[in-house]
Amino acid sequence: MDRRPAVIANWKMELSHKASVEAANAIRKLLKDVKLDMDVVLCPSFPALGAVQDVLHNHEKVQLGAQNIHWEEKGAWTGQVSVLQLTPFIHWCIVGHSESRALTGETDEQVQLKVQLLLKHGITPVICIGESLAERQADQTIERVTAQMHTLLDKATRTSLTKMVIVYEPIWAISAAGTGQTPEPDDVAGIMLLMRKLVAERFDNEAAQRVRLLYGGSVKPVNVTPFISEPGVDGVLVGAASLHPMDFVEIIKTVQQNAQ
Ligand code: PGA
């Protein structure tokens, strides 16, 4: 079954307003003559969304996403941003990123509320799932991923599954986590198999083959090939390397070549 590849840039809080615009412009230019049949998404910080949207205007190759939303549509939530405030800008939104979870203590259930809100508003949720270093060391990876998938699948429908992207992102593999390690690509493939098996148990094999699964965690031009060569890995979520337009575009091209 053909699943559309996706490469998503998570710029975190790393770029100034000006640098976000420059990076988007550079990526736009570097992709000018590149033939793409995949989703490429930039997720800048909230204040840069409008300016990056202007840069991407009429550019069908690159879409815009946010890095988070609140789980309520509206209310007395100082400092938070609602999906309703973002719909004019974005088609994608990361939720459940471990850095947001760590900061706010949000639960898997709250992440699911966000997923439901995004789906309601026609925005593609990019849902991050993955184990911590302590969980990995305690051999609890499968348990943790299974628990997170169950919470997600409890609320999912067969149709909604085709409208989201799930990222297996082991927290310890994120470059900012500082372990300097990444999982073996065949371990990632094993987790993808587990995730598809859980989807098949909840729905059926067809649903399992349709859901898009990405890998995230220290993806760079030099290490992307083994990950995306694994069957079942449909793309990547990229943090640090996406801050460098040439690196990010190289990753995009590698994923595109691999999909052909
Ligand atoms: P990284 O970040 O590529 O810098 O590890 C990925 C992420 O946190 O989404």
Side-chain angles (χ1 to χ4, degrees):
M1 181 154 319
D2 278 349
R3 294 181 299 263
R4 190 171 165 82
V7 175
I8 302 174
N10 176 9
W11 286 350
K12 309 195 179 187
M13 203 177 68
E14 300 283 11
L15 297 179
S16 67
H17 190 273
K18 185 166 170 273
S20 304
V21 170
E22 284 169 0
N25 249 317
I27 291 164
R28 192 190 156 119
K29 285 192 186 124
L30 288 165
L31 287 176
K32 192 166 165 274
D33 298 318
V34 181
K35 209 171 163 301
L36 291 182
D37 187 11
M38 62 187 292
D39 289 319
V40 175
V41 184
L42 303 182
C43 302
S45 299
F46 293 131
L49 282 172
V52 174
Q53 185 182 45
D54 289 344
V55 173
L56 301 180
H57 185 62
N58 285 340
H59 188 64
E60 71 290 350
K61 284 181 192 162
V62 184
Q63 302 172 66
L64 196 53
Q67 296 173 18
N68 205 355
I69 52 157
H70 195 268
W71 60 81
E72 298 265 353
E73 270 183 352
K74 198 170 185 304
W77 297 100
T78 303
Q80 298 299 308
V81 176
S82 145
V83 67
L84 295 178
Q85 296 161 328
L86 291 171
T87 46
F89 301 99
I90 59 167
H91 289 104
W92 297 71
C93 185
I94 299 169
V95 287
H97 192 284
S98 55
E99 287 157 11
S100 318
R101 290 184 196 245
L103 194 67
T104 59
E106 78 189 23
T107 61
D108 292 345
E109 285 70 22
Q110 285 163 337
V111 172
Q112 286 323 303
L113 290 174
K114 296 181 181 191
V115 171
Q116 296 313 313
L117 263 188
L118 290 167
L119 290 168
K120 176 177 161 196
H121 291 280
I123 296 169
T124 306
V126 178
I127 307 150
C128 299
I129 279 181
E131 79 285 2
S132 67
L133 185 60
E135 285 161 344
R136 179 155 190 106
Q137 286 167 342
D139 248 336
Q140 288 168 352
T141 300
I142 290 179
E143 221 174 300
R144 182 72 186 114
V145 171
T146 303
Q148 286 177 297
M149 282 297 289
H150 276 154
T151 315
L152 191 156
L153 291 169
D154 269 358
K155 294 268 179 328
T157 64
R158 176 183 275 287
T159 313
S160 75
L161 271 180
T162 61
K163 298 186 172 158
M164 60 176 77
V165 166
I166 306 172
V167 187
Y168 171 55
E169 184 164 75
I171 300 169
W172 52 272
I174 294 175
S175 62
T179 65
Q181 292 177 343
T182 53
E184 292 300 325
D186 58 347
D187 286 347
V188 172
I191 296 290
M192 300 305 189
L193 268 179
L194 167 71
M195 289 161 112
R196 289 193 202 282
K197 181 174 146 270
L198 295 169
V199 175
E201 280 168 9
R202 168 80 169 81
F203 297 101
D204 56 30
N205 200 38
E206 198 200 324
Q209 291 311 314
R210 273 174 183 271
V211 66
R212 287 200 280 176
L213 303 180
L214 312 189
Y215 167 72
S218 298
V219 173
K220 307 180 194 72
V222 290
N223 69 5
V224 65
T225 302
F227 288 115
I228 47 124
S229 304
E230 290 291 343
V233 180
D234 304 317
V236 283
L237 174 62
V238 190
S242 72
L243 302 172
H244 308 285
M246 282 170 67
D247 286 354
F248 186 57
V249 168
E250 205 177 320
I251 291 169
I252 294 168
K253 286 181 180 168
T254 308
V255 172
Q256 180 63 61
Q257 275 158 15
N258 192 73
Q260 277 157 2

